[in-house]
Amino acid sequence: GWQASVKSGSLSYILPCNRLPVQLMSQVRVYTSNGQKKDLGSEGTNRSTPEETLRKVGTGQDATNAGQKQSFLKEPIQVKVKAVLKKREYGPKYTQNNFITGVRAINEFCLKSSDLDQLRKIKRRSPHDDTESFTVYLRSDVEAKSLEVWGSPEALARERKRRKEAEIKYRENLFRNQRLLREYKEFFGNTKPRSSPAAMFFKGPGKVVMVAICINGLNFFFKLLAWVYTGSASMFSEAIHSLADTCNQALLALGISQSARTPDPSHPYGFTNMRYIASLISGVGIFMMGAGLSWYHGIIGLLHPHPIESLLWAYCILAGSLVSEGATLLVAINEIRRSARAKGLSFYQYVVQSRDPSTNVVLLEDAAAVLSVAVAATCMGLTSLTGNPYYDSVGSLGVGTLLGTVSAFLIYTNTEALLGRSIQPEQLQRLTELLESDPVVRAIHDVKATDMGMSKVRFKAEVDFDGRVVTRSYLEKQDIEQLLQEIQQVKTLEELEAFMLKHGENIIDTLGAEVDRLEKDLKQRNPDVRHVDLEIL
């Protein structure tokens, strides 16, 4: 059992004890939620002190123990109550403290700009990079103003329905409205100078594609004449190859022009992936038209061989095609080298990662064209030397296999790009180290960096912020003497609540400013990073 040590004179006794002496509080203050305190008073004078209780325990008499037990039962138990604020119930939907912009207030609540002039204006930190702050309004004020203007919620709903129908009609006449909008912006001088769509075809990938379209179109015409004159299966394959290249590069030109469109509400991240889509369709077209027809014509030549006429004109056309395709190939190689050097990548890495899908298609198509011309010329030469038409049919099959290999590579690389692959580990490591080296960041988790195509990266991470550093950053901008005076003036719970709410909101704004600063640093030090999402743990 329990043992209590009792000193009596110079002797010490160890006695068994089945009751613990309890010393209760002599005075307790109870705080309510309105800041008032209550003194519950002192205990009665008949209560035993701890020394007297021990002395009673040392007697060992049952009567004394029974009296002690009765004394404990009669004493009131005092409980210390923790002072807490009453929990506020917000309900499933609470929008009284929400802020909305002027544009939303006009569009969603059918107000005019003059109606907003009478409402309270609040300056808040802007989410956009080009502005530091912008003006917002309390949603409750806007709702009250809309009811004042329209009279009832039913009238406001009817006005919203009418504007929705007008918006549908506006979209039906989209082209006419776009022209009117462009004239409106030009009248007010609110537009930035932009290059025309045709200008993008005079430099970079657009220039490469246009040169390839012109050359492949001429090659198709002359190869078709040579096939009609000679009846060569290899020449037919070459003509089909040039036709497929011309159609595919026209599709690439369409993808380049569409990728330059500005983002809209339906496509907030823009249309840059149109180049990958066009390149993917181009790869499928090469496989179906180029490889498929070449294989078909080669097999027909093996099953039903026929003698070939003079191949002199075919050799001349193939020689011209070799020169023209080689020139286009050099243009594509120079463009890829320049772009790879600008990105700090090797020629092979730039091609495999499909950084520029349009130029990649031209490069691979022209490389395949040069090799196929060599294959066709070799097989036609063997046929003319031996008189055996099977060599020519084998050449057609070889050209088809070459085109099939190129199309498979294009389909694979563009599919990978459209699926949203991760960036290189070295680049991801640089972004991670930049965040972790900042004093406001304790740790980062669930890091994801996706290549959106055309050297555009979207970065996302869960960030554990150091609250002490954020708070210190806020305090460094405050007058500490004035802050100390505010603390000393706090006497009641209501004053404490008001003080904490005021500075708590400011600290949250400071945390938001730190998030904006980190996002800006990531974009400045890594130009490929266009979209940053930092989520607070």
Side-chain angles (χ1 to χ4, degrees), residues 2-14:
W2 295 94
Q3 294 181 345
S5 177
V6 181
K7 291 185 178 181
S8 177
S10 60
L11 298 177
S12 178
Y13 303 95
I14 305 299

Side-chain angles (χ1 to χ4, degrees), residues 456-509:
K456 292 184 178 180
V457 175
R458 181 177 182 180
F459 182 83
K460 177 260 180 186
E462 303 274 354
V463 183
D464 184 5
F465 286 90
D466 191 338
R468 292 177 178 270
V469 177
V470 174
T471 305
R472 181 174 293 277
S473 176
Y474 168 71
L475 293 176
E476 289 173 353
K477 302 174 184 178
Q478 306 300 315
D479 186 351
I480 299 300
E481 294 293 336
Q482 181 179 359
L483 189 63
L484 181 59
Q485 292 178 2
E486 293 181 10
I487 296 174
Q488 294 174 347
Q489 292 175 358
V490 173
K491 302 298 182 183
T492 64
L493 288 180
E494 287 80 4
E495 294 176 353
L496 177 62
E497 180 183 4
F499 176 83
M500 295 299 297
L501 291 177
K502 171 187 174 182
H503 293 281
E505 182 178 10
N506 294 338
I507 291 175
I508 294 299
D509 289 340

